[in-house]
Short mmCIF file of all heavy atoms in Angstrom, two decimals:
data_model
loop_
_atom_site.label_atom_id
_atom_site.label_comp_id
_atom_site.label_asym_id
_atom_site.label_seq_id
_atom_site.Cartn_x
_atom_site.Cartn_y
_atom_site.Cartn_z
N LYS O 28 79.12 114.22 99.75
CA LYS O 28 78.14 114.25 100.84
C LYS O 28 78.81 114.04 102.19
O LYS O 28 78.43 114.67 103.18
CB LYS O 28 77.07 113.19 100.60
CG LYS O 28 76.17 113.51 99.42
CD LYS O 28 75.17 112.40 99.18
CE LYS O 28 74.37 112.71 97.92
NZ LYS O 28 73.59 111.56 97.48
N GLN O 32 81.27 118.91 100.62
CA GLN O 32 81.98 119.74 99.65
C GLN O 32 81.41 119.40 98.28
O GLN O 32 81.65 118.32 97.75
CB GLN O 32 83.50 119.46 99.69
CG GLN O 32 84.27 120.34 98.73
CD GLN O 32 85.78 120.19 98.93
OE1 GLN O 32 86.25 119.93 100.02
NE2 GLN O 32 86.52 120.37 97.86
N PRO O 33 80.64 120.32 97.68
CA PRO O 33 79.92 119.99 96.44
C PRO O 33 80.82 119.79 95.21
O PRO O 33 80.47 119.07 94.30
CB PRO O 33 78.98 121.17 96.23
CG PRO O 33 79.54 122.27 97.04
CD PRO O 33 80.33 121.66 98.16
N GLN O 38 89.64 116.04 89.47
CA GLN O 38 89.49 114.65 89.92
C GLN O 38 90.70 114.18 90.73
O GLN O 38 90.57 113.31 91.59
CB GLN O 38 89.25 113.73 88.72
CG GLN O 38 87.86 113.87 88.12
CD GLN O 38 86.76 113.54 89.13
OE1 GLN O 38 86.78 112.50 89.79
NE2 GLN O 38 85.79 114.44 89.26
N ASN O 51 91.15 106.97 106.82
CA ASN O 51 90.73 107.35 108.17
C ASN O 51 89.46 106.61 108.58
O ASN O 51 89.31 106.22 109.74
CB ASN O 51 90.52 108.86 108.26
CG ASN O 51 91.83 109.62 108.23
OD1 ASN O 51 92.85 109.12 108.70
ND2 ASN O 51 91.81 110.80 107.68
N ASN O 72 99.29 95.95 114.82
CA ASN O 72 100.24 95.77 113.73
C ASN O 72 101.55 95.15 114.23
O ASN O 72 102.09 94.22 113.61
CB ASN O 72 100.49 97.11 113.05
CG ASN O 72 101.35 97.04 111.81
OD1 ASN O 72 102.11 97.96 111.53
ND2 ASN O 72 101.26 95.98 111.04
N LEU O 89 113.52 96.22 112.94
CA LEU O 89 112.74 95.45 111.96
C LEU O 89 111.26 95.81 112.07
O LEU O 89 110.58 95.98 111.06
CB LEU O 89 112.93 93.94 112.19
CG LEU O 89 112.08 93.09 111.24
CD1 LEU O 89 112.96 92.26 110.34
CD2 LEU O 89 111.11 92.23 112.01
N GLU O 157 87.16 90.09 93.77
CA GLU O 157 88.59 89.84 94.00
C GLU O 157 89.42 90.52 92.91
O GLU O 157 90.47 91.11 93.20
CB GLU O 157 88.83 88.32 94.01
CG GLU O 157 90.25 87.92 94.30
CD GLU O 157 90.49 87.62 95.77
OE1 GLU O 157 89.52 87.43 96.52
OE2 GLU O 157 91.66 87.56 96.16
#
Side-chain angles (χ1 to χ4, degrees):
K28 292 177 184 168
Q32 182 172 330
Q38 287 300 309
N51 288 329
N72 185 214
L89 177 117
E157 183 94 16

